[in-house]
Amino acid sequence: MNNFSRYKTELLLLLLVAVFSLPFAGQAFHIDDRLYLEVAEHALEKPFFPYDYPLLFEGLEAPDGASHSHLPLTVYYMAFIMLVTGGGQEWIFHFFFMIFPLIAAFSFHNLASRYVSNPMIAVFLLLSAPAFLTLGHNLMTDIPMLAFWLLALDRYMRILEGDGNRRDLVILSIALLCSAFISMLTMGLVILLASGLIVRKLRPSSYSPLPGSDPSGVEVKTGYSPPAWVWWVILLLPVLLWIAWYGRAWLHYDRFVLANTLMHMDKRNTLELSLVGTKLLSFLLNIGGIFCFPILIWAGLRKKTEWVSAAIILAGSLAAPFLFLSEWAFKDKMLFSLFLATGIILFMEMTKLSAGLEVKNLVLLFWFLGILLTCLVLFYSGSARYVLLALPPVILVITRKAAFLFQSEGRFRTAGILLLTMALLYALPISWADYEFAEGYRTNASQLCNKYSSPERTVWFTGEWGFRHYMAENGARIIARNSTDAVPGDIIIKPYIASPWVTLYDGDQYCRLVEQVPVITTLPLRILDFSSHAGFYSSGWGLLPFGWTSGSHWEWFNVFEVTAEYDRPVPEAEKHW
């Protein structure tokens, strides 16, 4: 690629990211954004110990947040944004966080060029995937983590294929360390890179591209090849970082802080058989429903045997909800069937990568299966967030599978362009539904606090996510599960789905219901909703990655007035583990 073509490609990637990101720059802080903002504020005061402050989460108090499962790279970045801008407006943070979709897009384009003939299509499918597009508009760790994984794998494949240099090795090391300073899930990336090295050593000539890839990729190149010990030192860097980080935490807090995290996982019974089955089902529904426009997967089927297999899978997926989910509405059963059948077909396509034991194919397969195993073993629910790291290998296989639709002439190219357009039109409403979901907390928190705040009483609330951020911003106070601070005349406001908790004042003896205020949205799509079984952020709300409204209110705020002082013994405070 000459310089002009490279600059044109880079400009197009920049424009794509801007087009997908800027319309959502004003999104309200959402889900766990609030928690990261809180830690970032404390990082400005205690940069070496950002979690060293009394924590109240889901109504339970803890002396500090050191057992938080994520490391603080994005927290430090948010603290830097606060420091240089002096403000906390949503658009400022979202603008600065555009760097992560940019890293992901550029890295994935380079990586995809080793697998498919038109990597720009793969990038478009990545950026327009509902999972990526929706999660790209918050401040959580998911997109930053994915971006550094892609950057590391891009440089890794360059070196492994013989067209890299020492600079690529340095960038690989930095990407690994950045990812490791976000989450210990980076151990999966370390294992993935090590597996590729081992297979490469066992099969040094195992290089042929996936169908639909650039034939020039067949050539074995002889470029920079670091000695084996250099590779293993690089792969050891994340481990050394974790030892240093948690070692200094041990010295400061006089305990192994991850022990509490492990106890929390044990409390949630992450390996209980029925829960593992739920997580597997959620994984398949997520990759089938929000990794790509489902029809694109079916359009990629060409052989008769593929269509027969797909028909059998669809028949089984159609029968399943009618046999086991009889209480679901018909439209929810249809979404379940479509997503499940598509997810199973994608899973089968991924397993085909084992044919031939080729290094590039096996990297994708190990990548996909590693994320699946992580979802089944480590997490206590299914979620689009947890599955996101499996998106790039799936997109590469989808692009390969549907490559014939994007040929340069005839009806296939027209069909391919049409399907890409439909993929975007499929993703935008899902992402906008999430945008409205977040906005509902910002708007209603302001209106409720303005309505009920007065010098004579305190407005209290329970709940998490953006609701908590905006209630506190508007002067309301959070009430813990065992708090007795509320007095007669005070107001307690609770959401229905934003992780509310039971307080000592619950019940007719101490409170009376004043009103219920529903969240109003324009689109009928739901991201989290018990009644339509939507569980984008957690399968605890529903199995489907998104749902269609049931017609009833899906989120509302219960406003209570305290009528009597709490006069019973205060129970012993619970813990998160």
Side-chain angles (χ1 to χ4, degrees), residues 247-304:
R248 53 148 273 302
W250 195 340
L251 294 175
H252 182 74
Y253 297 103
D254 196 26
R255 74 178 194 272
F256 180 51
V257 296
L258 285 181
N260 293 342
T261 305
L262 297 174
M263 285 189 286
H264 183 70
M265 291 172 57
D266 182 65
K267 181 180 178 180
R268 295 293 190 114
N269 298 316
T270 56
L271 295 179
E272 196 268 324
L273 189 59
S274 62
L275 180 57
V276 171
T278 298
K279 290 186 287 188
L280 175 59
L281 189 57
S282 176
F283 184 92
L284 293 173
L285 290 168
N286 274 298
I287 65 172
I290 53 172
F291 268 23
C292 190
F293 180 45
I295 303 304
L296 182 58
I297 315 304
W298 294 79
L301 301 176
R302 299 186 67 184
K303 299 178 182 177
K304 182 179 179 180

Side-chain angles (χ1 to χ4, degrees), residues 335-358:
L335 282 178
F336 179 95
S337 301
L338 175 62
F339 295 163
L340 180 60
T342 306
I344 293 173
I345 290 171
L346 277 175
F347 181 86
M348 293 174 63
E349 289 297 325
M350 297 304 297
T351 60
K352 292 178 183 179
L353 293 171
S354 61
L357 297 178
E358 296 163 1

Side-chain angles (χ1 to χ4, degrees), residues 362-424:
L362 290 176
V363 167
L364 296 184
L365 179 61
F366 293 162
W367 184 348
F368 177 80
L369 293 179
I371 301 304
L372 170 59
L373 182 62
T374 300
C375 289
L376 298 183
V377 173
L378 294 183
F379 299 117
Y380 47 81
S381 68
S383 171
R385 297 181 59 193
Y386 306 150
V387 179
L388 181 70
L389 284 171
L391 174 60
V394 170
I395 290 297
L396 288 176
V397 169
I398 291 172
T399 308
R400 175 203 67 177
K401 190 69 181 175
F404 71 97
L405 293 170
F406 306 107
Q407 293 172 356
S408 59
E409 58 185 3
R411 60 187 177 89
F412 285 125
R413 183 175 177 84
T414 302
I417 294 173
L418 177 62
L419 283 169
L420 285 181
T421 303
M422 293 175 69
L424 180 58

Side-chain angles (χ1 to χ4, degrees), residues 1-12 109 120:
M1 182 184 295
N2 58 41
N3 287 340
F4 177 75
S5 297
R6 185 176 72 252
Y7 293 146
K8 186 170 67 173
T9 298
E10 291 173 351
L11 179 60
L12 181 56
H109 182 273
M120 194 61 71

Side-chain angles (χ1 to χ4, degrees), residues 50-337:
Y51 300 107
D52 193 13
Y53 66 96
L55 184 70
L56 178 67
F57 182 68
E58 294 184 347
L60 301 178
E61 296 174 292
D64 57 70
S67 296
H68 190 280
S69 58
H70 287 297
L71 286 86
L73 179 67
T74 54
V75 164
Y76 285 140
Y77 184 56
M78 292 164 74
F80 169 76
I81 296 170
M82 293 175 180
L83 192 64
V84 299
T85 65
Q89 292 178 283
E90 291 87 348
W91 72 267
I92 294 176
F93 286 96
H94 291 307
F95 179 79
F96 275 86
F97 264 66
M98 279 179 58
I99 186 65
F100 300 114
L102 273 173
I103 293 173
F106 278 76
S107 301
F108 191 57
H109 182 273
N110 295 334
L111 185 64
S113 66
R114 303 180 179 279
Y115 290 93
V116 296
S117 57
N118 194 333
M120 194 61 71
I121 293 175
V123 174
F124 182 91
L125 289 176
L126 175 75
L127 296 177
S128 66
F132 189 98
L133 187 61
T134 301
L135 291 169
H137 307 142
N138 58 47
L139 308 181
M140 295 184 287
T141 59
D142 310 294
I143 298 299
M145 182 81 165
L146 179 61
F148 289 122
W149 274 52
L150 288 170
L151 179 58
L153 282 159
D154 166 37
R155 303 302 164 147
Y156 169 80
M157 292 303 297
R158 284 190 188 191
I159 299 169
L160 208 62
E161 292 193 347
D163 58 359
N165 52 44
R166 288 180 175 82
R167 184 181 65 178
D168 293 315
L169 201 65
V170 172
I171 295 174
L172 166 60
S173 303
I174 293 172
L176 260 180
L177 285 172
C178 287
S179 179
F181 207 41
I182 292 175
S183 172
M184 290 190 71
L185 291 178
T186 301
M187 179 55 70
L189 178 58
V190 172
I191 294 172
L192 175 62
L193 300 186
S195 300
L197 292 174
I198 292 170
V199 174
R200 175 66 168 168
K201 183 176 180 62
L202 295 176
R203 296 177 59 82
S205 61
S206 58
Y207 266 115
S208 62
L210 295 175
S213 63
D214 188 347
S216 65
V218 174
E219 297 179 7
V220 177
K221 302 170 185 177
T222 56
Y224 173 68
S225 180
W229 68 267
V230 172
W231 278 117
W232 297 112
V233 167
I234 290 174
L235 295 181
L236 191 61
L237 289 176
V239 179
L240 296 176
L241 173 65
W242 293 327
I243 291 173
W245 178 257
Y246 289 109
R248 53 148 273 302
W250 195 340
L251 294 175
H252 182 74
Y253 297 103
D254 196 26
R255 74 178 194 272
F256 180 51
V257 296
L258 285 181
N260 293 342
T261 305
L262 297 174
M263 285 189 286
H264 183 70
M265 291 172 57
D266 182 65
K267 181 180 178 180
R268 295 293 190 114
N269 298 316
T270 56
L271 295 179
E272 196 268 324
L273 189 59
S274 62
L275 180 57
V276 171
T278 298
K279 290 186 287 188
L280 175 59
L281 189 57
S282 176
F283 184 92
L284 293 173
L285 290 168
N286 274 298
I287 65 172
I290 53 172
F291 268 23
C292 190
F293 180 45
I295 303 304
L296 182 58
I297 315 304
W298 294 79
L301 301 176
R302 299 186 67 184
K303 299 178 182 177
K304 182 179 179 180
T305 55
E306 291 179 338
W307 278 107
V308 171
S309 298
I312 294 172
I313 292 170
L314 181 59
S317 298
L318 284 169
F322 287 93
L323 292 174
F324 303 106
L325 304 171
S326 57
E327 74 283 2
W328 283 30
F330 179 79
K331 62 184 182 325
D332 300 329
K333 292 177 182 178
M334 291 297 97
L335 282 178
F336 179 95
S337 301

Side-chain angles (χ1 to χ4, degrees), residues 523-534:
L523 292 181
L525 298 179
R526 297 290 178 258
I527 298 297
L528 283 179
D529 178 18
F530 291 114
S531 61
S532 58
H533 315 288

